[in-house]
Amino acid sequence: MKRLLSVFLAVLGFLAFLVPVADARTPFVKPFMGWSSWSLESSTRAGYGTSWLNESHVRDAAVALASKLKPAGYTNVNIDSGWNADLSWVFHTDTNGIPAPDPGRFPSGIPALASYVHGLGLKLGLYAVTGLEKEVYNKNAPILGTSCHAQDIAYRPLTPSNGWGGNWKVDFRNPCAQKYYDSIVARFASWGVDFVKVDGTTADNVADIKAWSAAIDHSRRPMWLTASAWPVPRSIGPSLAPYANGVRIDTDVECYCDTVSTWDSSVKARWADLPGWQGVFGPQYRPDLDSMPISNNTGSGIQDGIDDVERQSVMTFWSMASSPLYVGGDIYFLDATAVSILTNPEVIRVDQAGSYASQVTGGNLQVWKKRAPDGRTYAAVYNLGSSPADITVDFAALGVRGSQPLRDLVARTDLGRSRGSWTASAVPAHGSRLVRIG
């Protein structure tokens, strides 16, 4: 009997091995932290722009991230658009339609770069887009592991797809479509990729994100998947939840000028747009507020375009939202104030708690609240106006009662106890305060 039972269990184990892994989003408990290249690629400042992206600069950014921000938890080196394009912005794929790095930008290849980044204790991310590249369609690339070719998986009639209409819509009724995405992600996995940003996501591209998610599962390598656009339509936010780890809820933070950003183009838009996404997110599905223009306001290199008060408001708002925290800008020139803002452990803890903030009061003088899993309550106030102002937090609106101890998390200072309310005095224009209550 025992022998029969052993054989039975062995057969069950073998059958279980044959059953494919369920297609579901790779779980990540906390928002990722790191750096992204696009802010530098988008700038018109001399020495930057799309030609900035190359192997040497990414290695420099990785070293800077490892030495300056890694101890605080920043580990992702995310390479944005252009890694598989030449300086004329012509994109490359191999004979099977799989994106291939531009040899001029990345002469050592992505595997060598990933190995270098991993050797610093960091992770590597790559950029992709929704839809079928027209170059892949035109050469009718054979799809690995199938008898299909690229033109077999194109939706008919040919229909432009993604945010700029640059690719063809994919017909996911053909199982070879999933095999095509599997082949791309398997290649990424073999290179050592840890993160994928899929850009241009429209209401027509939910199936694309589902296919990317399934391909990541099939690769057996955990990869963070961000569905991106400028922004992703709110209408498909719930539909993407089973597949993506993060979703871009706003337009690009960059100003496409000679700095990284400006307050009006388009940092302040986040305060108006995040409330519309409330109720969409869960413990493994994050609002992506885009990169943080907190890098350099002194000396050489591109400047952030926002002042130190605004930089702190960005860090506070992103953290209250439990958005991924990733730096946009030339991290090689990271200044001391940026390091101080970005590495404050008490503010980072608010972000990594993983719960979400909700808006209590709107307008120019805003109050936001957040309840962490450990039961602690956080309140953030923001002055979006043009002159200093007092902002009062009503404890009842936060669900807090009685006399409570308060701590200013940015200043890392205890404020004593308050009953019923607390007032942040003389909050500067575009400034903020962040307190823990209780």
Side-chain angles (χ1 to χ4, degrees):
M1 178 62 73
K2 288 183 178 180
R3 183 173 180 179
L4 288 175
L5 179 60
S6 298
V7 171
F8 177 71
L9 291 175
V11 171
L12 281 181
F14 177 73
L15 291 175
F17 178 77
L18 295 178
V19 175
V21 176
D23 295 342
R25 171 192 51 203
T26 301
F28 289 90
V29 175
K30 297 178 180 180
F32 78 84
M33 301 166 63
W35 167 86
S36 175
S37 69
W38 182 250
S39 292
L40 302 183
E41 297 180 65
S42 72
S43 177
T44 61
R45 183 183 172 101
Y48 297 96
T50 55
S51 63
W52 180 91
L53 184 65
N54 62 46
E55 181 178 309
S56 176
H57 286 153
V58 172
R59 284 176 177 249
D60 286 346
V63 171
L65 186 69
S67 63
K68 299 175 182 179
L69 298 181
K70 177 188 169 187
Y74 294 82
T75 57
N76 272 54
V77 177
N78 293 335
I79 303 173
D80 211 277
S81 183
W83 64 273
N84 59 326
D86 63 22
L87 294 180
S88 298
W89 218 241
V90 176
F91 288 82
H92 308 296
T93 60
D94 70 6
T95 55
N96 295 109
I98 298 171
D102 179 66
R105 294 182 189 268
F106 296 94
S108 301
I110 299 300
L113 181 59
S115 179
Y116 181 81
V117 169
H118 292 157
L120 297 172
L122 305 174
K123 299 179 179 181
L124 186 73
L126 289 181
Y127 174 97
V129 296
T130 55
L132 178 66
E133 292 275 4
K134 291 183 177 179
E135 182 262 346
V136 176
Y137 176 88
N138 290 341
K139 68 183 180 184
N140 201 21
I143 298 172
L144 279 175
T146 76
S147 60
C148 295
H149 290 69
Q151 293 180 12
D152 297 325
I153 65 171
Y155 186 87
R156 303 306 172 119
L158 286 175
T159 303
S161 181
N162 76 28
W164 53 92
N167 291 349
W168 294 126
K169 182 177 179 179
V170 175
D171 185 355
F172 287 101
R173 295 171 298 184
N174 185 333
C176 290
Q178 182 63 57
K179 292 292 186 181
Y180 175 59
Y181 285 91
D182 287 353
S183 71
I184 296 174
V185 176
R187 183 70 52 80
F188 285 8
S190 73
W191 291 345
V193 171
D194 306 290
F195 167 101
V196 182
K197 170 184 172 181
V198 180
D199 206 4
T201 306
T202 71
D204 200 35
N205 297 126
V206 173
D208 294 71
I209 301 301
K210 179 181 179 181
W212 278 97
S213 181
I216 290 171
D217 291 335
H218 299 160
S219 78
R220 303 294 182 93
R221 181 177 181 85
M223 299 182 198
W224 179 286
L225 176 61
T226 288
S228 183
W230 335 281
V232 170
R234 167 64 177 80
S235 61
I236 63 171
S239 300
L240 295 173
Y243 314 119
N245 301 104
V247 59
R248 271 281 300 278
I249 65 101
D250 220 314
T251 188
D252 288 352
V253 78
E254 295 85 8
C255 60
Y256 293 81
C257 61
D258 64 353
T259 64
V260 171
S261 189
T262 69
W263 182 257
D264 291 324
S265 290
S266 59
V267 171
K268 72 177 184 182
R270 275 78 187 146
W271 278 264
D273 294 336
L274 182 59
W277 283 77
Q278 289 183 353
V280 173
F281 302 106
Q284 295 175 4
Y285 185 45
R286 307 293 178 189
D288 191 325
L289 294 172
D290 205 5
S291 60
M292 301 182 293
I294 306 173
S295 183
N296 178 47
N297 273 345
T298 60
S300 301
I302 189 172
Q303 307 289 291
D304 292 343
I306 59 176
D307 63 30
D308 290 344
V309 168
E310 294 165 341
R311 290 161 120 192
Q312 182 59 63
S313 292
V314 165
M315 182 68 180
T316 297
F317 192 69
W318 268 237
S319 295
M320 283 288 284
S322 280
S323 171
L325 303 179
Y326 55 107
V327 179
D330 198 338
I331 196 171
Y332 185 83
F333 294 104
L334 199 69
D335 64 36
T337 301
V339 172
S340 177
I341 292 171
L342 292 167
T343 61
N344 184 327
E346 299 191 34
V347 179
I348 291 173
R349 194 173 298 123
V350 175
D351 178 80
Q352 298 291 287
S355 54
Y356 300 104
S358 59
Q359 189 182 59
V360 179
T361 61
N364 278 341
L365 304 180
Q366 296 194 4
V367 176
W368 289 68
K369 66 179 180 179
K370 177 172 182 172
R371 180 65 63 87
D374 64 6
R376 286 184 166 178
T377 297
Y378 298 98
V381 301
Y382 306 99
N383 179 3
L384 305 184
S386 57
S387 59
D390 296 345
I391 306 177
T392 297
V393 177
D394 180 4
F395 286 0
L398 307 183
V400 173
R401 298 183 180 182
S403 175
Q404 297 289 337
L406 287 92
R407 181 170 175 82
D408 185 321
L409 300 185
V410 174
R412 302 195 220 182
T413 302
D414 291 331
L415 303 177
R417 302 183 71 89
S418 292
R419 180 182 293 274
S421 67
W422 168 75
T423 298
S425 301
V427 180
H430 307 168
S432 59
R433 297 282 294 279
L434 174 61
V435 295
R436 187 184 68 222
I437 302 173

